[in-house]
Each structure stands twice: as C-alpha cells, then as structure tokens.
Amino acid sequence: MRISSDQDVCTGAGQCVLTEPGVFAQDARGVVELRTDRAEGELMPKVRQAVFICPSGALSVEED
Amino acid sequence: MLNLDPEEVAGLPRYPVGRRCPYEIPEIYTRLRAEEPVSKVVMSDGQPVWFLSRYEDVRAVLSDPRFSADRLADGFPNLALGQREGLSKQPKFMISMDGAEHSAARRRVISDFSVRRVAELTPMVQKLVDDCIDRILDLPQPVDLVAELALPVPTLLLAELVGADHADHAYFIDLVHRMLWRKTSGEERVQISIGLRKYFDDLIAEKEANPGDDIISRQIAFQREENGEVDREGLNSLAQLLLIAGYESSASMIALGVHTFLTRPEWLETIRKDPAKTPVAVEELLRFYSILDVAAGRVALADVEIGGVTIRTGDGVLASVFAANRDPAAFPDPDRLNLERGARHHVAFGYGPHQCLGQNLSRLELQIVFDTLFERIPTLRPAVDEADLPFKYDALAFGLYELPVVW
Ligand code: HEM
Ligand code: SF4
C-alpha cells in the first residue's frame, strides 16, 4: 500500500507515532513525517489503524 | 439556538446526567444510543441542545469544520453558570478557536507535546513522582492519595513545563489546589484567578529577561522572531489553558486508576510483572471512565445531517465521548473494564483538530505514577470501603475527592 500524509492538516497529536513508529514520526515542529511511503505485510493493518485513529484526517492510504 | 416550545423542553432529559456508580454508564445514555442516537436534552440553564451518543456520530461532528468550538458563540452549550461571562474577559483560548485561527495557534505549541518531546520528559516526571512518594512514606497513615499524589503530580509537572521558579512552587500549588477545592467560595475563586493571572504575568516577564528550557521561553523566542514583540496576554492564556485543561483531568485519572488497581489485585499483579502492559491498561482506563464527557460541545455553523437528523445552523451540540466510548458498535462488550483490551481508538481525548494537546503527557504521567507507586509501596491498600469513597458525582470532570490508603 501507498501512504500519504498532509502536513498542513496534521494537528500533532502523535497518535500515528504511537500506533506504528516504524512508519510514522513527528518532525522538529511536531508535525507528521513519514519514514516510508510504502507498507507491506504485517505493517498494513497497523497503518490502516493509524489512518483510522488520526484525529485530523491527515493520513491516507491507497491499496495496491 | 434550537427553538422548541416550552412544553417540549420541559419533557427533555437534563444534562449533565450525574453518575451514580463509578463504573456504570447512566442508563439514559445507553437507552438514547439505542433508541434515538441524535436526541435533544436540556442544559441546566434551560437551553435545549442536541446530544450525540454513537461513536460514529461523535467522531463525525468533532472532525467536521461546520461545527464550531467557539465557547462564546450563541447556541454553544453552556456547561457551568458564569462560563460565558468568565471566558469573555479573557483573550481567546485555542480550545475555542476554529479553522485557520485554531491551527495557527496550535501549530506554535505542538512541538512541545510531540511523542518524542514528551518521552524526553520521562526523567523529570519520574523524579517528581518519586519525590511525592518519598513524602508520602513519611506521613502518618492513612494518607489521602488525592491530596498527596494525584493533585501534586500534575501541578508540579505543569510548573516544570512553563518553567515556574521552584521558589514559588508552594504559592503556585496552593493557588491551584484552592481553585479545585469544592468548598472554595465564588468570591475566593475570583481572587484565585486574579492571583494566577498575576503569577503567570510575572513568570512571563521573568522569562523575557532570563529565558530557560520551557514552553513559555520558547514561545517568547518564537514570537520575537515572527513579529518582533511578545504577546503577553496570549501567553498568559496559554499557560492558563494548559493548567485548566491538564490539571483536574490528570488528577482524576491518577486517582481513579490507582483505585482501580487497588481493588483488582489480578490487574495489579499483571502490570507489576510486565510494565509493558501499563500503557495498554492506561488506554482502557481512559476509555472506561471517560471523565470529561462534557468537554466536547460544539455549535453548528450550517445545516448538517448527522445520523439522519438535520442539525440547524446555530444549534448547540454535545458530542458525548462517554457514550461513544461505551458504544458496542466500536468496542465489543463495552461496559466491561478489560485492562488488556488494547483499544486505542477511543475518544476520551476528543477527536478532530481539538483532540487533546496534552494526551501524550497524560499517558506518560499515568504510566509512571502506576508503575512507580505499586513498585515502591507494594503493600499499598485502600483504607476505606469503596462504598465510603467520595466519588465526584457532582463535578464536571468525574474523579475522586479523596482516596485514603494504608500500607
Ligand atoms: C487524562 C487527562 C486528560 C483528558 C481526559 C483530556 C481530555 C481532553 C478533551 C476531551 C479535549 C477536547 C476538547 C474539545 O474537543 O473541545 C482536550 C483538549 C485539550 N487538552 Fe486535554 N485532557 C487531559 C489532559 C490534558 C493535559 C495534561 C493537558 C496539558 C498539559 C491538556 C491540554 C489540552 C488542551 C490545550 C486542549 C485543547 C486543544 C485544542 O483546542 O486544540 N489536556 N482534552
Ligand atoms: S495522528 Fe494524524 S494528526 Fe496526529 S501526528 Fe499523526 S498525522 Fe498528525
């Protein structure tokens, strides 16, 4: 799957980082930063969970 | 404003609905969610508003820009008498802003609350909790853990965050504690709020002269860089917001959490053996107690359909995070406290752009308190029966007034 994030929308709650720190991080400003824009296998449910939990709608995925 | 004839208003359920049991959600929440998930209730000042009780609808409203968080707007559900009058005298808090104004204000502070930043605060929070426990161990028993742990930890933490001078700690803590004390009179409250404003004003002046490693100093530097001057009023209201939003709520969760573990030895055993389970338990405690059911009020800026009902422009809305967190459509067997549930999609911290700024700090604080307290005082136990504990059934934030313990 392909992951995208919208830094202008992110409100920095960090829910994505808590859900999957291997994919999501926060930059020095506290705004979401993707460590990778692709996820496979075991990571996919985690990423979907992060998209669902993110309070601001900053995250989205496109399934392959 | 939802316009109804007086007769219809008279027949509506009242809000807030007092809890009668620490664990059970009032029956009306469950009934409304099942029968009329978008229903009308009447606030204590007589205003009818919409009450949302389904997880899906609560998230929909809290993430929809057509609902405003402006606590001064006509139609906004008024939770406490005097709330509007009190707020109108302050510069606007971030929690009352919408859209671009809100995101600009929040953007300036989120770096101080990111997951990484909060993790860096671990040693400071650990020390603060250890100091409180040192003092507790020297006290005659029984000890009230609300007074000696649940209240001091968030207060001291806030003082650290804003860089309050240690010399003034005692004064600051005294002000804050009197602010929450249920017997404090209205007049005293006015004095306390003047005192706090003055305290933060002095603090800001001090940080302008001698910057430190704290939120206030970073905001000052940021503002100077951005427009060459310091917005002292804005900084004062930021400090006050962090205090108001973070203090009672954290204290409540600490007290309820400690009580929960003490009365459920099997869970206590579980986190003692494996502290990796504590964060999971913390999420469930947040969901289960949903102490700030009243936090997420909104007012409609347009006609919006929610759950098949049209909410009209200007109508007040209460998105019940308590009802949402007990919605069987989102959490199987929702009324059971299951500290291993591992569900992080609860809305105890709200949802949408206003979702709690301090959530990661709260998580850290709760984890450290639970892990440290039961490790350092392994024989800790309640000093009174649960039936005799003073739960905060009458307060806007659910919690405990006192929690006497012995060891
Ligand atoms: C367990 C403790 C806490 C709970 C249950 C809690 C709950 C909430 C909720 C439900 C909201 C959303 C209000 C809305 O949607 O209108 C909120 C917002 C907020 N909280 Fe917390 N909170 C807690 C602790 C804290 C702490 C420790 C701090 C700060 C140090 C804090 C700072 C804030 C701020 C600044 C906002 C407003 C954010 C915004 O408007 O963008 N909270 N909190
Ligand atoms: S969960 Fe959403 S709002 Fe929070 S940091 Fe991640 S992307 Fe930003």
Side-chain angles (χ1 to χ4, degrees), chain A residues 6-20 25-33 35 49-57, chain B residues 55 59 62-63 102-103 106-107 109-116 283 342-346 349-357 359-360 363:
Chain A
D6 184 342
Q7 292 204 324
D8 293 334
V9 170
C10 168
T11 50
Q15 294 265 37
C16 53
V17 186
L18 293 180
T19 309
E20 187 39 67
Q26 283 167 292
D27 68 14
R29 298 169 301 158
V31 174
V32 65
E33 190 175 59
R35 292 180 188 277
Q49 171 81 344
V51 172
F52 180 70
I53 290 186
C54 168
S56 70
Chain B
Y55 179 78
R59 292 214 333 171
L62 294 181
S63 56
H102 170 259
S103 61
R106 182 155 168 145
R107 275 289 155 124
V109 292
I110 53 178
S111 64
D112 264 297
F113 294 90
S114 69
V115 174
R116 188 189 337 159
E283 294 303 320
R344 289 207 28 259
H345 60 289
H346 64 76
F349 287 124
Y351 189 69
H354 289 280
Q355 193 183 62
C356 185
L357 179 69
Q359 57 182 289
N360 296 314
R363 290 185 171 105

Side-chain angles (χ1 to χ4, degrees), chain B residues 170-370:
Chain B
Y171 170 70
F172 177 67
I173 289 183
D174 177 63
L175 275 185
V176 175
H177 287 192
R178 282 194 292 130
M179 180 173 85
L180 261 202
W181 197 45
R182 64 181 143 166
K183 289 176 191 139
T184 301
S185 70
E187 198 170 310
E188 238 181 306
R189 273 173 215 284
V190 175
Q191 289 311 315
I192 293 171
S193 98
I194 294 170
L196 274 175
R197 174 155 283 274
K198 166 94 172 56
Y199 180 84
F200 286 133
D201 271 339
D202 293 347
L203 180 70
I204 293 160
E206 157 72 19
K207 298 292 163 187
E208 283 183 62
N210 298 305
D213 179 18
D214 56 76
I215 295 184
I216 300 293
S217 298
R218 276 188 286 280
Q219 293 300 311
I220 290 172
F222 187 85
Q223 291 182 358
R224 280 187 174 141
E225 205 175 291
E226 205 176 49
N227 34 18
E229 57 182 351
V230 181
D231 170 14
R232 297 191 184 95
E233 283 227 314
L235 280 179
N236 198 309
S237 72
L238 173 66
Q240 289 192 58
L241 175 62
L242 294 178
L243 179 68
I244 299 166
Y247 166 61
E248 187 175 9
S249 50
S250 303
S252 283
M253 283 310 304
I254 291 175
L256 290 172
V258 169
H259 166 70
T260 305
F261 284 114
L262 287 182
T263 47
R264 285 162 189 75
E266 69 284 9
W267 290 114
L268 188 50
E269 212 29 52
T270 306
I271 61 158
R272 263 214 203 112
K273 275 206 219 107
D274 182 6
K277 295 245 165 78
T278 313
V280 180
V282 164
E283 294 303 320
E284 175 69 348
L285 291 167
L286 287 162
R287 178 196 76 87
F288 187 77
Y289 288 112
S290 296
I291 54 164
L292 278 181
D293 185 42
V294 293
R298 296 292 185 266
V299 55
L301 298 174
D303 292 359
V304 184
E305 199 187 297
I306 296 288
V309 176
T310 303
I311 292 177
R312 301 273 171 209
T313 310
D315 288 357
V317 178
L318 282 165
S320 170
V321 302
F322 191 17
N325 280 338
R326 297 292 189 98
D327 184 346
F331 305 94
D333 199 2
D335 295 323
R336 199 165 80 89
L337 175 69
N338 171 7
L339 296 183
E340 283 180 304
R341 182 184 293 270
R344 289 207 28 259
H345 60 289
H346 64 76
V347 288
F349 287 124
Y351 189 69
H354 289 280
Q355 193 183 62
C356 185
L357 179 69
Q359 57 182 289
N360 296 314
L361 201 62
S362 306
R363 290 185 171 105
L364 178 78
E365 197 176 354
L366 293 168
Q367 287 162 28
I368 293 182
V369 166
F370 301 148

Side-chain angles (χ1 to χ4, degrees), chain B residues 118-137:
Chain B
V118 167
E120 287 166 7
L121 300 177
T122 306
M124 182 268 281
V125 178
Q126 182 68 57
K127 172 157 190 328
L128 216 146
V129 171
D130 273 320
D131 289 351
C132 283
I133 297 177
D134 287 343
R135 267 195 306 277
I136 289 172
L137 287 169

